[in-house]
Amino acid sequence: MSNITEYAEMGQRDRWLIFMLGALIGAGLLWTIKTQSEPARTEKHRVRDSLNLPGMMYDFAVTQKGFYGHYVLFESVETIPDGSKVRTIVTGGRRHYNAEGTELPQEYLLITETYAAGTPLAEAGPVTHYTFAFADRLTIQLRMGYSAADVTTDFGDVATPVADRPDLVTLKLTKWIKSHQAKDWSKLNELFKGLSKKPAVQSVELTLIDWQSEAELIKQNSTK
């Protein structure tokens, strides 16, 4: 009888040892997988945070489609001498969050779409050329002897220096946007003209986004 009890106890010990060994091996495998995949996850997060456009915009640009829908906040169309039409729109930008997960203030984008002569302006396109820029920030070249503090809007926006470029400043239009409850983006040209007349300003441009480079970055990381 004692032998049977000893065998039973040995069986329990063996099962316990096997269970513990399996748990340790499983934990080791999980740790190894996590350790090996951490650099890849970190890189994907870095790439994601570096992007300036919502994902859908890369899709429609690559497929040469036009951007239409309720999210278009402003639209204008210009016909150029060769018969091509340039459609300019303003829309919301990519959502951004702080470290606590709180959504940051909305960004705005300005997109131009070029349609060849005779091509209907519609989502199907095809669009022959795009430009993407921030509608809510400007890149300004200063005249000699001036600084960022010399460039302001009448609404209280003040320019900030661009790192390593003493001749350039960035002007975010946060207060200008808040002052336009109806978001009248047609007045952006008036703002351009007003800033161009300031003694400190050599030139004013929208802050462009290199969407082709960003799309290529997405492509490279999606294959890893």
Side-chain angles (χ1 to χ4, degrees):
M1 190 72 176
S2 61
N3 289 337
I4 295 174
T5 303
E6 288 175 4
Y7 282 133
E9 290 177 350
M10 288 178 63
Q12 288 177 351
R13 284 198 300 271
D14 290 342
R15 287 194 294 272
W16 175 251
L17 287 172
I18 290 171
F19 169 77
M20 289 299 295
L21 182 61
L24 289 171
I25 291 172
L29 286 172
L30 287 174
W31 180 85
T32 301
I33 292 170
K34 181 179 179 182
T35 301
Q36 291 180 344
S37 62
E38 189 64 32
R41 280 202 301 270
T42 301
E43 177 62 11
K44 285 188 176 180
H45 284 309
R46 186 194 68 77
V47 170
R48 182 191 63 191
D49 293 341
S50 71
L51 300 176
N52 290 301
L53 303 177
M56 63 182 297
M57 290 188 180
Y58 300 104
D59 294 337
F60 83 74
V62 169
T63 55
Q64 295 185 282
K65 291 184 177 180
F67 196 72
Y68 293 82
H70 66 277
Y71 27 70
V72 174
L73 306 175
F74 168 78
E75 177 180 4
S76 67
V77 178
E78 177 187 6
T79 302
I80 56 181
D82 66 357
S84 300
K85 286 185 168 54
V86 178
R87 177 174 177 258
T88 300
I89 68 169
V90 173
T91 185
R94 184 169 173 268
R95 290 183 174 181
H96 292 274
Y97 301 86
N98 63 18
E100 289 72 40
T102 303
E103 186 170 0
L104 298 172
Q106 171 72 290
E107 292 182 338
Y108 295 94
L109 304 172
L110 187 143
I111 306 170
T112 63
E113 304 172 344
T114 302
Y115 296 76
T119 302
L121 273 62
E123 184 176 350
V127 175
T128 61
H129 181 72
Y130 297 91
T131 65
F132 291 84
F134 290 105
D136 56 9
R137 69 199 68 173
L138 307 175
T139 297
I140 296 174
Q141 184 172 11
L142 297 174
R143 294 185 186 277
M144 187 82 65
Y146 289 93
S147 67
D150 298 314
V151 181
T152 63
T153 67
D154 294 338
F155 303 91
D157 298 300
V158 182
T160 57
V162 174
D164 301 321
R165 287 295 305 271
D167 61 324
L168 291 183
V169 298
T170 296
L171 181 63
K172 289 191 175 182
L173 305 176
T174 306
K175 294 182 179 180
W176 180 82
I177 290 171
K178 285 182 178 180
S179 72
H180 293 72
Q181 297 301 316
K183 296 292 189 296
D184 187 358
W185 291 98
S186 65
K187 294 184 178 179
L188 190 59
N189 281 335
E190 295 179 14
L191 182 67
F192 261 71
K193 292 177 182 177
L195 288 169
S196 298
K197 295 177 182 178
K198 289 182 176 290
V201 175
Q202 178 70 40
S203 64
V204 183
E205 296 179 349
L206 291 170
T207 303
L208 294 175
I209 299 170
D210 187 351
W211 73 270
Q212 291 100 332
S213 294
E214 293 191 4
E216 183 61 29
L217 193 60
I218 294 171
K219 181 180 177 182
Q220 290 171 1
N221 278 265
S222 64
T223 58
K224 293 180 180 179

